[in-house]
Every structure is written in structure tokens, then in C-alpha cells.
Amino acid sequence: GDSVTQMEGPVTLSEEAFLTINCTYTATGYPSLFWYVQYPGEGLQLLLKATKADDKGSNKGFEATYRKETTSFHLEKGSVQVSDSAVYFCALSPSSGGGGNKLTFGTGTQLKVEL
Amino acid sequence: DTGVSQNPRHKITKRGQNVTFRCDPISEHNRLYWYRQTLGQGPEFLTYFQNEAQLEKSRLLSDRFSAERPKGSFSTLEIQRTEQGDSAMYLCASSPRDRGRVGNTEAFFGQGTRLTVV
């Protein structure tokens, strides 16, 4: 079945550091790929998405590129801020089947940004 | 507030009791999902409704679990004879119809109901 593997946390960075959170997936066909973020005390929010190979999703300075050849969707940000501290989830939605937009999530990566 | 609403936010129950959670999706969304999230893990899919029809159920959804979405509006998730292993955050999400390609629309999540079984 479908699966998502993302790097384990916690990841601790200084403000303005470069961020990479690795994500790889296993799925048939061409799934849609997502990054969701969960800030402390809040629900999951969509951060960015990409729906086909070589698409780049971007939002709030974060970027991720859908790499079909390496089945990856790594999250990057050039300069993190304290306000980026949260748990980040990589997820996929299958391109076919009856499950609507059923999401398969990775285990999440906690990011802590310090001054 | 036009987001996904879940009630209650927290529920503590004794083992063996029944509990019911409610989810009110975004009004124009025809798809509704339930997920379960345990500490340190990502959300796991439980079940999916399109309008009032329950179209898919995960193997995680044992016979003690039942979900409904009468009239295609709000949904309820009931757990009968709760066990300590049921302790988790139960998340509800909704999404609109796909636009074009299957699976590419955003799911909007509620803040969840945290269940503790003692």
C-alpha cells in the first residue's frame, strides 16, 4: 500500500538557518503530494502541494519539488524564523481509487527554531 | 468561523463506556474524513464520506467504531466499549469535489477531539 517516510525529529535550528526536511513516498501511479503543518495548539493546515512530477509547491517561503524519479518531496526554506516552530507532515493522496482525497501521512517532523 | 468544527475538544471516559464525537464540516464541502492520531505519529485514515454515503473504511475501524453522516451534513463517530488503546486524537477533515485531477484538492482539518480512556 501507499506509504510516506520522513526524517525523524526533532530538528533544532537557529533563526535564519536553512531548513530541509526529507520526505520520500511509495505509491502507484502519480499521487498528489502535500506538506501539512501543525502549530502548537492548532489543527493541521495545508502548507503547500504539488500534483504532478516536477511541480514545485511554495508558500510562506517554503518550497518542495515533486521528484518522480526519486519519489521524493523534500521541504526546504532558506531562512527559518522562530514562528516556523511546528510539526511538519508530508502526505500523499492517490491519483485513483474511491477514497476521495484520502491522505497517507508520514510520522511528522518537529521543528524548533531558536533565537 | 467557517472552518471545520469538532466537539468536544477533550473527552475522558472510563474503559467500557461509549463515546460519540461530532464533526461539522465546511458547509459547501461534500467530502468528509475521519483520522486518528496517536502521540508521535501522523494521522491515520479511518473512514470517508461523500455526501451521506460512507465510501471507504479502514481496517483500523473495528466493529466497535461506527460513523454516520446523516443528510450529508455533520458527522458523528461513535466508539462502543472503549479500550485504553482507543486513546488518541480523532481528527475530522472536509474537502470539496476534485477539480480536474483526482486527489488534488485541499483537505481542511478541525482541531480534533482528544480521547483519554482511563
mmCIF file with all atom_site columns, all heavy atoms in Angstrom, chain A residues 4-6 21-25 33-36 72-75 88-92 104-109:
data_model
loop_
_atom_site.group_PDB
_atom_site.id
_atom_site.type_symbol
_atom_site.label_atom_id
_atom_site.label_alt_id
_atom_site.label_comp_id
_atom_site.label_asym_id
_atom_site.label_entity_id
_atom_site.label_seq_id
_atom_site.pdbx_PDB_ins_code
_atom_site.Cartn_x
_atom_site.Cartn_y
_atom_site.Cartn_z
_atom_site.occupancy
_atom_site.B_iso_or_equiv
_atom_site.pdbx_formal_charge
_atom_site.auth_seq_id
_atom_site.auth_comp_id
_atom_site.auth_asym_id
_atom_site.auth_atom_id
_atom_site.pdbx_PDB_model_num
ATOM 1   N N   . VAL A 1 4   ? 4.498  6.892  3.354  1.00 0.00 ? 4   VAL A N   1
ATOM 2   C CA  . VAL A 1 4   ? 5.310  8.109  3.347  1.00 0.00 ? 4   VAL A CA  1
ATOM 3   C C   . VAL A 1 4   ? 6.349  7.993  4.447  1.00 0.00 ? 4   VAL A C   1
ATOM 4   O O   . VAL A 1 4   ? 6.012  7.643  5.589  1.00 0.00 ? 4   VAL A O   1
ATOM 5   C CB  . VAL A 1 4   ? 4.443  9.363  3.575  1.00 0.00 ? 4   VAL A CB  1
ATOM 6   C CG1 . VAL A 1 4   ? 5.318  10.603 3.699  1.00 0.00 ? 4   VAL A CG1 1
ATOM 7   C CG2 . VAL A 1 4   ? 3.436  9.526  2.442  1.00 0.00 ? 4   VAL A CG2 1
ATOM 8   N N   . THR A 1 5   ? 7.585  8.281  4.115  1.00 0.00 ? 5   THR A N   1
ATOM 9   C CA  . THR A 1 5   ? 8.666  8.236  5.090  1.00 0.00 ? 5   THR A CA  1
ATOM 10  C C   . THR A 1 5   ? 9.309  9.617  5.176  1.00 0.00 ? 5   THR A C   1
ATOM 11  O O   . THR A 1 5   ? 9.692  10.182 4.150  1.00 0.00 ? 5   THR A O   1
ATOM 12  C CB  . THR A 1 5   ? 9.733  7.206  4.685  1.00 0.00 ? 5   THR A CB  1
ATOM 13  O OG1 . THR A 1 5   ? 9.126  5.918  4.565  1.00 0.00 ? 5   THR A OG1 1
ATOM 14  C CG2 . THR A 1 5   ? 10.828 7.143  5.743  1.00 0.00 ? 5   THR A CG2 1
ATOM 15  N N   . GLN A 1 6   ? 9.359  10.161 6.361  1.00 0.00 ? 6   GLN A N   1
ATOM 16  C CA  . GLN A 1 6   ? 10.012 11.450 6.521  1.00 0.00 ? 6   GLN A CA  1
ATOM 17  C C   . GLN A 1 6   ? 11.024 11.400 7.644  1.00 0.00 ? 6   GLN A C   1
ATOM 18  O O   . GLN A 1 6   ? 10.940 10.540 8.525  1.00 0.00 ? 6   GLN A O   1
ATOM 19  C CB  . GLN A 1 6   ? 9.011  12.586 6.715  1.00 0.00 ? 6   GLN A CB  1
ATOM 20  C CG  . GLN A 1 6   ? 8.128  12.469 7.933  1.00 0.00 ? 6   GLN A CG  1
ATOM 21  C CD  . GLN A 1 6   ? 7.133  13.635 8.006  1.00 0.00 ? 6   GLN A CD  1
ATOM 22  O OE1 . GLN A 1 6   ? 5.943  13.484 7.748  1.00 0.00 ? 6   GLN A OE1 1
ATOM 23  N NE2 . GLN A 1 6   ? 7.627  14.799 8.393  1.00 0.00 ? 6   GLN A NE2 1
ATOM 24  N N   . ILE A 1 21  ? 13.676 19.217 5.249  1.00 0.00 ? 21  ILE A N   1
ATOM 25  C CA  . ILE A 1 21  ? 13.037 18.048 5.853  1.00 0.00 ? 21  ILE A CA  1
ATOM 26  C C   . ILE A 1 21  ? 12.776 17.070 4.716  1.00 0.00 ? 21  ILE A C   1
ATOM 27  O O   . ILE A 1 21  ? 12.037 17.368 3.778  1.00 0.00 ? 21  ILE A O   1
ATOM 28  C CB  . ILE A 1 21  ? 11.719 18.396 6.571  1.00 0.00 ? 21  ILE A CB  1
ATOM 29  C CG1 . ILE A 1 21  ? 11.966 19.423 7.676  1.00 0.00 ? 21  ILE A CG1 1
ATOM 30  C CG2 . ILE A 1 21  ? 11.100 17.124 7.151  1.00 0.00 ? 21  ILE A CG2 1
ATOM 31  C CD1 . ILE A 1 21  ? 10.704 19.857 8.403  1.00 0.00 ? 21  ILE A CD1 1
ATOM 32  N N   . ASN A 1 22  ? 13.411 15.921 4.817  1.00 0.00 ? 22  ASN A N   1
ATOM 33  C CA  . ASN A 1 22  ? 13.304 14.930 3.747  1.00 0.00 ? 22  ASN A CA  1
ATOM 34  C C   . ASN A 1 22  ? 11.998 14.150 3.815  1.00 0.00 ? 22  ASN A C   1
ATOM 35  O O   . ASN A 1 22  ? 11.514 13.814 4.904  1.00 0.00 ? 22  ASN A O   1
ATOM 36  C CB  . ASN A 1 22  ? 14.472 13.952 3.811  1.00 0.00 ? 22  ASN A CB  1
ATOM 37  C CG  . ASN A 1 22  ? 15.786 14.606 3.438  1.00 0.00 ? 22  ASN A CG  1
ATOM 38  O OD1 . ASN A 1 22  ? 15.818 15.604 2.736  1.00 0.00 ? 22  ASN A OD1 1
ATOM 39  N ND2 . ASN A 1 22  ? 16.874 14.037 3.916  1.00 0.00 ? 22  ASN A ND2 1
ATOM 40  N N   . CYS A 1 23  ? 11.461 13.848 2.639  1.00 0.00 ? 23  CYS A N   1
ATOM 41  C CA  . CYS A 1 23  ? 10.244 13.056 2.535  1.00 0.00 ? 23  CYS A CA  1
ATOM 42  C C   . CYS A 1 23  ? 10.335 12.195 1.281  1.00 0.00 ? 23  CYS A C   1
ATOM 43  O O   . CYS A 1 23  ? 10.620 12.709 0.190  1.00 0.00 ? 23  CYS A O   1
ATOM 44  C CB  . CYS A 1 23  ? 9.009  13.945 2.453  1.00 0.00 ? 23  CYS A CB  1
ATOM 45  S SG  . CYS A 1 23  ? 7.479  13.067 2.055  1.00 0.00 ? 23  CYS A SG  1
ATOM 46  N N   . THR A 1 24  ? 10.129 10.898 1.439  1.00 0.00 ? 24  THR A N   1
ATOM 47  C CA  . THR A 1 24  ? 10.019 10.002 0.293  1.00 0.00 ? 24  THR A CA  1
ATOM 48  C C   . THR A 1 24  ? 8.719  9.230  0.394  1.00 0.00 ? 24  THR A C   1
ATOM 49  O O   . THR A 1 24  ? 8.157  9.077  1.482  1.00 0.00 ? 24  THR A O   1
ATOM 50  C CB  . THR A 1 24  ? 11.197 9.022  0.224  1.00 0.00 ? 24  THR A CB  1
ATOM 51  O OG1 . THR A 1 24  ? 11.257 8.272  1.445  1.00 0.00 ? 24  THR A OG1 1
ATOM 52  C CG2 . THR A 1 24  ? 12.516 9.747  0.006  1.00 0.00 ? 24  THR A CG2 1
ATOM 53  N N   . TYR A 1 25  ? 8.244  8.735  -0.722 1.00 0.00 ? 25  TYR A N   1
ATOM 54  C CA  . TYR A 1 25  ? 6.945  8.076  -0.722 1.00 0.00 ? 25  TYR A CA  1
ATOM 55  C C   . TYR A 1 25  ? 6.982  6.801  -1.560 1.00 0.00 ? 25  TYR A C   1
ATOM 56  O O   . TYR A 1 25  ? 7.847  6.616  -2.412 1.00 0.00 ? 25  TYR A O   1
ATOM 57  C CB  . TYR A 1 25  ? 5.853  9.014  -1.251 1.00 0.00 ? 25  TYR A CB  1
ATOM 58  C CG  . TYR A 1 25  ? 5.983  9.331  -2.721 1.00 0.00 ? 25  TYR A CG  1
ATOM 59  C CD1 . TYR A 1 25  ? 5.367  8.547  -3.689 1.00 0.00 ? 25  TYR A CD1 1
ATOM 60  C CD2 . TYR A 1 25  ? 6.747  10.423 -3.146 1.00 0.00 ? 25  TYR A CD2 1
ATOM 61  C CE1 . TYR A 1 25  ? 5.499  8.823  -5.029 1.00 0.00 ? 25  TYR A CE1 1
ATOM 62  C CE2 . TYR A 1 25  ? 6.885  10.718 -4.490 1.00 0.00 ? 25  TYR A CE2 1
ATOM 63  C CZ  . TYR A 1 25  ? 6.262  9.912  -5.425 1.00 0.00 ? 25  TYR A CZ  1
ATOM 64  O OH  . TYR A 1 25  ? 6.402  10.198 -6.759 1.00 0.00 ? 25  TYR A OH  1
ATOM 65  N N   . LEU A 1 33  ? 1.013  15.263 -3.791 1.00 0.00 ? 33  LEU A N   1
ATOM 66  C CA  . LEU A 1 33  ? 1.864  15.332 -2.609 1.00 0.00 ? 33  LEU A CA  1
ATOM 67  C C   . LEU A 1 33  ? 1.617  16.632 -1.856 1.00 0.00 ? 33  LEU A C   1
ATOM 68  O O   . LEU A 1 33  ? 1.385  17.684 -2.475 1.00 0.00 ? 33  LEU A O   1
ATOM 69  C CB  . LEU A 1 33  ? 3.340  15.225 -3.009 1.00 0.00 ? 33  LEU A CB  1
ATOM 70  C CG  . LEU A 1 33  ? 3.723  13.953 -3.774 1.00 0.00 ? 33  LEU A CG  1
ATOM 71  C CD1 . LEU A 1 33  ? 5.180  14.024 -4.220 1.00 0.00 ? 33  LEU A CD1 1
ATOM 72  C CD2 . LEU A 1 33  ? 3.494  12.717 -2.906 1.00 0.00 ? 33  LEU A CD2 1
ATOM 73  N N   . PHE A 1 34  ? 1.674  16.534 -0.539 1.00 0.00 ? 34  PHE A N   1
ATOM 74  C CA  . PHE A 1 34  ? 1.322  17.668 0.316  1.00 0.00 ? 34  PHE A CA  1
ATOM 75  C C   . PHE A 1 34  ? 2.310  17.787 1.478  1.00 0.00 ? 34  PHE A C   1
ATOM 76  O O   . PHE A 1 34  ? 2.870  16.798 1.934  1.00 0.00 ? 34  PHE A O   1
ATOM 77  C CB  . PHE A 1 34  ? -0.080 17.482 0.929  1.00 0.00 ? 34  PHE A CB  1
ATOM 78  C CG  . PHE A 1 34  ? -1.177 17.252 -0.069 1.00 0.00 ? 34  PHE A CG  1
ATOM 79  C CD1 . PHE A 1 34  ? -1.419 15.981 -0.576 1.00 0.00 ? 34  PHE A CD1 1
ATOM 80  C CD2 . PHE A 1 34  ? -1.993 18.294 -0.467 1.00 0.00 ? 34  PHE A CD2 1
ATOM 81  C CE1 . PHE A 1 34  ? -2.442 15.755 -1.491 1.00 0.00 ? 34  PHE A CE1 1
ATOM 82  C CE2 . PHE A 1 34  ? -3.017 18.084 -1.377 1.00 0.00 ? 34  PHE A CE2 1
ATOM 83  C CZ  . PHE A 1 34  ? -3.236 16.814 -1.888 1.00 0.00 ? 34  PHE A CZ  1
ATOM 84  N N   . TRP A 1 35  ? 2.474  19.002 1.953  1.00 0.00 ? 35  TRP A N   1
ATOM 85  C CA  . TRP A 1 35  ? 3.058  19.254 3.262  1.00 0.00 ? 35  TRP A CA  1
ATOM 86  C C   . TRP A 1 35  ? 2.004  19.977 4.101  1.00 0.00 ? 35  TRP A C   1
ATOM 87  O O   . TRP A 1 35  ? 1.462  21.009 3.677  1.00 0.00 ? 35  TRP A O   1
ATOM 88  C CB  . TRP A 1 35  ? 4.321  20.110 3.168  1.00 0.00 ? 35  TRP A CB  1
ATOM 89  C CG  . TRP A 1 35  ? 5.541  19.325 2.840  1.00 0.00 ? 35  TRP A CG  1
ATOM 90  C CD1 . TRP A 1 35  ? 6.151  19.191 1.628  1.00 0.00 ? 35  TRP A CD1 1
ATOM 91  C CD2 . TRP A 1 35  ? 6.324  18.549 3.753  1.00 0.00 ? 35  TRP A CD2 1
ATOM 92  N NE1 . TRP A 1 35  ? 7.247  18.382 1.722  1.00 0.00 ? 35  TRP A NE1 1
ATOM 93  C CE2 . TRP A 1 35  ? 7.386  17.973 3.023  1.00 0.00 ? 35  TRP A CE2 1
ATOM 94  C CE3 . TRP A 1 35  ? 6.257  18.290 5.126  1.00 0.00 ? 35  TRP A CE3 1
ATOM 95  C CZ2 . TRP A 1 35  ? 8.351  17.152 3.604  1.00 0.00 ? 35  TRP A CZ2 1
ATOM 96  C CZ3 . TRP A 1 35  ? 7.207  17.480 5.706  1.00 0.00 ? 35  TRP A CZ3 1
ATOM 97  C CH2 . TRP A 1 35  ? 8.247  16.916 4.949  1.00 0.00 ? 35  TRP A CH2 1
ATOM 98  N N   . TYR A 1 36  ? 1.716  19.384 5.248  1.00 0.00 ? 36  TYR A N   1
ATOM 99  C CA  . TYR A 1 36  ? 0.836  19.999 6.232  1.00 0.00 ? 36  TYR A CA  1
ATOM 100 C C   . TYR A 1 36  ? 1.677  20.431 7.431  1.00 0.00 ? 36  TYR A C   1
ATOM 101 O O   . TYR A 1 36  ? 2.697  19.812 7.751  1.00 0.00 ? 36  TYR A O   1
ATOM 102 C CB  . TYR A 1 36  ? -0.243 19.023 6.700  1.00 0.00 ? 36  TYR A CB  1
ATOM 103 C CG  . TYR A 1 36  ? -1.432 18.928 5.767  1.00 0.00 ? 36  TYR A CG  1
ATOM 104 C CD1 . TYR A 1 36  ? -1.396 18.117 4.637  1.00 0.00 ? 36  TYR A CD1 1
ATOM 105 C CD2 . TYR A 1 36  ? -2.594 19.656 6.008  1.00 0.00 ? 36  TYR A CD2 1
ATOM 106 C CE1 . TYR A 1 36  ? -2.481 18.044 3.776  1.00 0.00 ? 36  TYR A CE1 1
ATOM 107 C CE2 . TYR A 1 36  ? -3.685 19.578 5.153  1.00 0.00 ? 36  TYR A CE2 1
ATOM 108 C CZ  . TYR A 1 36  ? -3.611 18.774 4.042  1.00 0.00 ? 36  TYR A CZ  1
ATOM 109 O OH  . TYR A 1 36  ? -4.686 18.697 3.186  1.00 0.00 ? 36  TYR A OH  1
ATOM 110 N N   . SER A 1 72  ? 10.439 11.593 -4.197 1.00 0.00 ? 72  SER A N   1
ATOM 111 C CA  . SER A 1 72  ? 10.710 12.460 -3.052 1.00 0.00 ? 72  SER A CA  1
ATOM 112 C C   . SER A 1 72  ? 9.951  13.774 -3.164 1.00 0.00 ? 72  SER A C   1
ATOM 113 O O   . SER A 1 72  ? 9.532  14.193 -4.253 1.00 0.00 ? 72  SER A O   1
ATOM 114 C CB  . SER A 1 72  ? 12.212 12.740 -2.936 1.00 0.00 ? 72  SER A CB  1
ATOM 115 O OG  . SER A 1 72  ? 12.660 13.476 -4.059 1.00 0.00 ? 72  SER A OG  1
ATOM 116 N N   . PHE A 1 73  ? 9.807  14.430 -2.019 1.00 0.00 ? 73  PHE A N   1
ATOM 117 C CA  . PHE A 1 73  ? 9.108  15.722 -1.935 1.00 0.00 ? 73  PHE A CA  1
ATOM 118 C C   . PHE A 1 73  ? 9.679  16.458 -0.730 1.00 0.00 ? 73  PHE A C   1
ATOM 119 O O   . PHE A 1 73  ? 8.998  16.730 0.247  1.00 0.00 ? 73  PHE A O   1
ATOM 120 C CB  . PHE A 1 73  ? 7.603  15.487 -1.812 1.00 0.00 ? 73  PHE A CB  1
ATOM 121 C CG  . PHE A 1 73  ? 6.740  16.712 -2.028 1.00 0.00 ? 73  PHE A CG  1
ATOM 122 C CD1 . PHE A 1 73  ? 6.847  17.473 -3.171 1.00 0.00 ? 73  PHE A CD1 1
ATOM 123 C CD2 . PHE A 1 73  ? 5.776  17.068 -1.084 1.00 0.00 ? 73  PHE A CD2 1
ATOM 124 C CE1 . PHE A 1 73  ? 6.037  18.589 -3.391 1.00 0.00 ? 73  PHE A CE1 1
ATOM 125 C CE2 . PHE A 1 73  ? 4.957  18.177 -1.284 1.00 0.00 ? 73  PHE A CE2 1
ATOM 126 C CZ  . PHE A 1 73  ? 5.092  18.933 -2.429 1.00 0.00 ? 73  PHE A CZ  1
ATOM 127 N N   . HIS A 1 74  ? 10.936 16.783 -0.783 1.00 0.00 ? 74  HIS A N   1
ATOM 128 C CA  . HIS A 1 74  ? 11.644 17.376 0.345  1.00 0.00 ? 74  HIS A CA  1
ATOM 129 C C   . HIS A 1 74  ? 11.216 18.832 0.556  1.00 0.00 ? 74  HIS A C   1
ATOM 130 O O   . HIS A 1 74  ? 11.119 19.611 -0.398 1.00 0.00 ? 74  HIS A O   1
ATOM 131 C CB  . HIS A 1 74  ? 13.154 17.338 0.111  1.00 0.00 ? 74  HIS A CB  1
ATOM 132 C CG  . HIS A 1 74  ? 13.689 15.970 -0.155 1.00 0.00 ? 74  HIS A CG  1
ATOM 133 N ND1 . HIS A 1 74  ? 13.222 14.832 0.483  1.00 0.00 ? 74  HIS A ND1 1
ATOM 134 C CD2 . HIS A 1 74  ? 14.664 15.552 -1.008 1.00 0.00 ? 74  HIS A CD2 1
ATOM 135 C CE1 . HIS A 1 74  ? 13.883 13.781 0.042  1.00 0.00 ? 74  HIS A CE1 1
ATOM 136 N NE2 . HIS A 1 74  ? 14.754 14.178 -0.864 1.00 0.00 ? 74  HIS A NE2 1
ATOM 137 N N   . LEU A 1 75  ? 11.027 19.199 1.806  1.00 0.00 ? 75  LEU A N   1
ATOM 138 C CA  . LEU A 1 75  ? 10.617 20.557 2.172  1.00 0.00 ? 75  LEU A CA  1
ATOM 139 C C   . LEU A 1 75  ? 11.851 21.398 2.475  1.00 0.00 ? 75  LEU A C   1
ATOM 140 O O   . LEU A 1 75  ? 12.736 20.941 3.213  1.00 0.00 ? 75  LEU A O   1
ATOM 141 C CB  . LEU A 1 75  ? 9.701  20.512 3.395  1.00 0.00 ? 75  LEU A CB  1
ATOM 142 C CG  . LEU A 1 75  ? 9.139  21.857 3.874  1.00 0.00 ? 75  LEU A CG  1
ATOM 143 C CD1 . LEU A 1 75  ? 8.156  22.408 2.854  1.00 0.00 ? 75  LEU A CD1 1
ATOM 144 C CD2 . LEU A 1 75  ? 8.462  21.692 5.229  1.00 0.00 ? 75  LEU A CD2 1
ATOM 145 N N   . TYR A 1 88  ? 5.774  19.262 11.107 1.00 0.00 ? 88  TYR A N   1
ATOM 146 C CA  . TYR A 1 88  ? 5.532  19.238 9.667  1.00 0.00 ? 88  TYR A CA  1
ATOM 147 C C   . TYR A 1 88  ? 5.267  17.804 9.211  1.00 0.00 ? 88  TYR A C   1
ATOM 148 O O   . TYR A 1 88  ? 6.030  16.890 9.535  1.00 0.00 ? 88  TYR A O   1
ATOM 149 C CB  . TYR A 1 88  ? 6.734  19.838 8.922  1.00 0.00 ? 88  TYR A CB  1
ATOM 150 C CG  . TYR A 1 88  ? 6.887  21.308 9.181  1.00 0.00 ? 88  TYR A CG  1
ATOM 151 C CD1 . TYR A 1 88  ? 7.506  21.762 10.346 1.00 0.00 ? 88  TYR A CD1 1
ATOM 152 C CD2 . TYR A 1 88  ? 6.379  22.250 8.295  1.00 0.00 ? 88  TYR A CD2 1
ATOM 153 C CE1 . TYR A 1 88  ? 7.612  23.118 10.619 1.00 0.00 ? 88  TYR A CE1 1
ATOM 154 C CE2 . TYR A 1 88  ? 6.497  23.613 8.551  1.00 0.00 ? 88  TYR A CE2 1
ATOM 155 C CZ  . TYR A 1 88  ? 7.109  24.030 9.710  1.00 0.00 ? 88  TYR A CZ  1
ATOM 156 O OH  . TYR A 1 88  ? 7.216  25.386 9.970  1.00 0.00 ? 88  TYR A OH  1
ATOM 157 N N   . PHE A 1 89  ? 4.189  17.626 8.448  1.00 0.00 ? 89  PHE A N   1
ATOM 158 C CA  . PHE A 1 89  ? 3.787  16.309 7.976  1.00 0.00 ? 89  PHE A CA  1
ATOM 159 C C   . PHE A 1 89  ? 3.802  16.279 6.456  1.00 0.00 ? 89  PHE A C   1
ATOM 160 O O   . PHE A 1 89  ? 3.175  17.120 5.808  1.00 0.00 ? 89  PHE A O   1
ATOM 161 C CB  . PHE A 1 89  ? 2.376  15.960 8.446  1.00 0.00 ? 89  PHE A CB  1
ATOM 162 C CG  . PHE A 1 89  ? 2.223  15.752 9.916  1.00 0.00 ? 89  PHE A CG  1
ATOM 163 C CD1 . PHE A 1 89  ? 1.880  16.815 10.739 1.00 0.00 ? 89  PHE A CD1 1
ATOM 164 C CD2 . PHE A 1 89  ? 2.439  14.506 10.487 1.00 0.00 ? 89  PHE A CD2 1
ATOM 165 C CE1 . PHE A 1 89  ? 1.733  16.632 12.115 1.00 0.00 ? 89  PHE A CE1 1
ATOM 166 C CE2 . PHE A 1 89  ? 2.291  14.315 11.853 1.00 0.00 ? 89  PHE A CE2 1
ATOM 167 C CZ  . PHE A 1 89  ? 1.945  15.375 12.667 1.00 0.00 ? 89  PHE A CZ  1
ATOM 168 N N   . CYS A 1 90  ? 4.471  15.287 5.909  1.00 0.00 ? 90  CYS A N   1
ATOM 169 C CA  . CYS A 1 90  ? 4.412  15.017 4.485  1.00 0.00 ? 90  CYS A CA  1
ATOM 170 C C   . CYS A 1 90  ? 3.261  14.031 4.247  1.00 0.00 ? 90  CYS A C   1
ATOM 171 O O   . CYS A 1 90  ? 3.033  13.131 5.073  1.00 0.00 ? 90  CYS A O   1
ATOM 172 C CB  . CYS A 1 90  ? 5.732  14.416 4.024  1.00 0.00 ? 90  CYS A CB  1
ATOM 173 S SG  . CYS A 1 90  ? 5.899  14.152 2.255  1.00 0.00 ? 90  CYS A SG  1
ATOM 174 N N   . ALA A 1 91  ? 2.544  14.187 3.158  1.00 0.00 ? 91  ALA A N   1
ATOM 175 C CA  . ALA A 1 91  ? 1.387  13.322 2.914  1.00 0.00 ? 91  ALA A CA  1
ATOM 176 C C   . ALA A 1 91  ? 1.175  13.150 1.423  1.00 0.00 ? 91  ALA A C   1
ATOM 177 O O   . ALA A 1 91  ? 1.618  13.976 0.616  1.00 0.00 ? 91  ALA A O   1
ATOM 178 C CB  . ALA A 1 91  ? 0.127  13.916 3.552  1.00 0.00 ? 91  ALA A CB  1
ATOM 179 N N   . LEU A 1 92  ? 0.486  12.064 1.062  1.00 0.00 ? 92  LEU A N   1
ATOM 180 C CA  . LEU A 1 92  ? 0.123  11.859 -0.329 1.00 0.00 ? 92  LEU A CA  1
ATOM 181 C C   . LEU A 1 92  ? -1.340 11.489 -0.451 1.00 0.00 ? 92  LEU A C   1
ATOM 182 O O   . LEU A 1 92  ? -1.957 10.961 0.490  1.00 0.00 ? 92  LEU A O   1
ATOM 183 C CB  . LEU A 1 92  ? 1.000  10.790 -0.983 1.00 0.00 ? 92  LEU A CB  1
ATOM 184 C CG  . LEU A 1 92  ? 0.890  9.318  -0.547 1.00 0.00 ? 92  LEU A CG  1
ATOM 185 C CD1 . LEU A 1 92  ? -0.289 8.609  -1.208 1.00 0.00 ? 92  LEU A CD1 1
ATOM 186 C CD2 . LEU A 1 92  ? 2.181  8.583  -0.896 1.00 0.00 ? 92  LEU A CD2 1
ATOM 187 N N   . THR A 1 104 ? -2.407 9.754  3.106  1.00 0.00 ? 104 THR A N   1
ATOM 188 C CA  . THR A 1 104 ? -1.475 8.919  3.859  1.00 0.00 ? 104 THR A CA  1
ATOM 189 C C   . THR A 1 104 ? -0.361 9.832  4.347  1.00 0.00 ? 104 THR A C   1
ATOM 190 O O   . THR A 1 104 ? 0.293  10.495 3.530  1.00 0.00 ? 104 THR A O   1
ATOM 191 C CB  . THR A 1 104 ? -0.910 7.801  2.978  1.00 0.00 ? 104 THR A CB  1
ATOM 192 O OG1 . THR A 1 104 ? -1.978 6.961  2.549  1.00 0.00 ? 104 THR A OG1 1
ATOM 193 C CG2 . THR A 1 104 ? 0.100  6.973  3.761  1.00 0.00 ? 104 THR A CG2 1
ATOM 194 N N   . PHE A 1 105 ? -0.164 9.876  5.660  1.00 0.00 ? 105 PHE A N   1
ATOM 195 C CA  . PHE A 1 105 ? 0.789  10.792 6.275  1.00 0.00 ? 105 PHE A CA  1
ATOM 196 C C   . PHE A 1 105 ? 2.068  10.096 6.686  1.00 0.00 ? 105 PHE A C   1
ATOM 197 O O   . PHE A 1 105 ? 2.080  8.912  7.015  1.00 0.00 ? 105 PHE A O   1
ATOM 198 C CB  . PHE A 1 105 ? 0.180  11.409 7.541  1.00 0.00 ? 105 PHE A CB  1
ATOM 199 C CG  . PHE A 1 105 ? -0.865 12.458 7.292  1.00 0.00 ? 105 PHE A CG  1
ATOM 200 C CD1 . PHE A 1 105 ? -2.195 12.098 7.149  1.00 0.00 ? 105 PHE A CD1 1
ATOM 201 C CD2 . PHE A 1 105 ? -0.520 13.800 7.216  1.00 0.00 ? 105 PHE A CD2 1
ATOM 202 C CE1 . PHE A 1 105 ? -3.172 13.060 6.934  1.00 0.00 ? 105 PHE A CE1 1
ATOM 203 C CE2 . PHE A 1 105 ? -1.487 14.767 7.003  1.00 0.00 ? 105 PHE A CE2 1
ATOM 204 C CZ  . PHE A 1 105 ? -2.812 14.390 6.850  1.00 0.00 ? 105 PHE A CZ  1
ATOM 205 N N   . GLY A 1 106 ? 3.148  10.873 6.717  1.00 0.00 ? 106 GLY A N   1
ATOM 206 C CA  . GLY A 1 106 ? 4.348  10.449 7.411  1.00 0.00 ? 106 GLY A CA  1
ATOM 207 C C   . GLY A 1 106 ? 4.181  10.664 8.903  1.00 0.00 ? 106 GLY A C   1
ATOM 208 O O   . GLY A 1 106 ? 3.134  11.146 9.375  1.00 0.00 ? 106 GLY A O   1
ATOM 209 N N   . THR A 1 107 ? 5.209  10.345 9.658  1.00 0.00 ? 107 THR A N   1
ATOM 210 C CA  . THR A 1 107 ? 5.111  10.409 11.127 1.00 0.00 ? 107 THR A CA  1
ATOM 211 C C   . THR A 1 107 ? 5.282  11.816 11.675 1.00 0.00 ? 107 THR A C   1
ATOM 212 O O   . THR A 1 107 ? 5.042  12.048 12.850 1.00 0.00 ? 107 THR A O   1
ATOM 213 C CB  . THR A 1 107 ? 6.162  9.502  11.779 1.00 0.00 ? 107 THR A CB  1
ATOM 214 O OG1 . THR A 1 107 ? 7.448  9.849  11.262 1.00 0.00 ? 107 THR A OG1 1
ATOM 215 C CG2 . THR A 1 107 ? 5.867  8.039  11.492 1.00 0.00 ? 107 THR A CG2 1
ATOM 216 N N   . GLY A 1 108 ? 5.669  12.756 10.818 1.00 0.00 ? 108 GLY A N   1
ATOM 217 C CA  . GLY A 1 108 ? 5.826  14.130 11.280 1.00 0.00 ? 108 GLY A CA  1
ATOM 218 C C   . GLY A 1 108 ? 7.250  14.425 11.729 1.00 0.00 ? 108 GLY A C   1
ATOM 219 O O   . GLY A 1 108 ? 7.954  13.558 12.246 1.00 0.00 ? 108 GLY A O   1
ATOM 220 N N   . THR A 1 109 ? 7.666  15.655 11.517 1.00 0.00 ? 109 THR A N   1
ATOM 221 C CA  . THR A 1 109 ? 8.978  16.122 11.950 1.00 0.00 ? 109 THR A CA  1
ATOM 222 C C   . THR A 1 109 ? 8.787  17.406 12.744 1.00 0.00 ? 109 THR A C   1
ATOM 223 O O   . THR A 1 109 ? 8.246  18.387 12.228 1.00 0.00 ? 109 THR A O   1
ATOM 224 C CB  . THR A 1 109 ? 9.905  16.409 10.755 1.00 0.00 ? 109 THR A CB  1
ATOM 225 O OG1 . THR A 1 109 ? 10.047 15.228 9.973  1.00 0.00 ? 109 THR A OG1 1
ATOM 226 C CG2 . THR A 1 109 ? 11.269 16.888 11.235 1.00 0.00 ? 109 THR A CG2 1
#
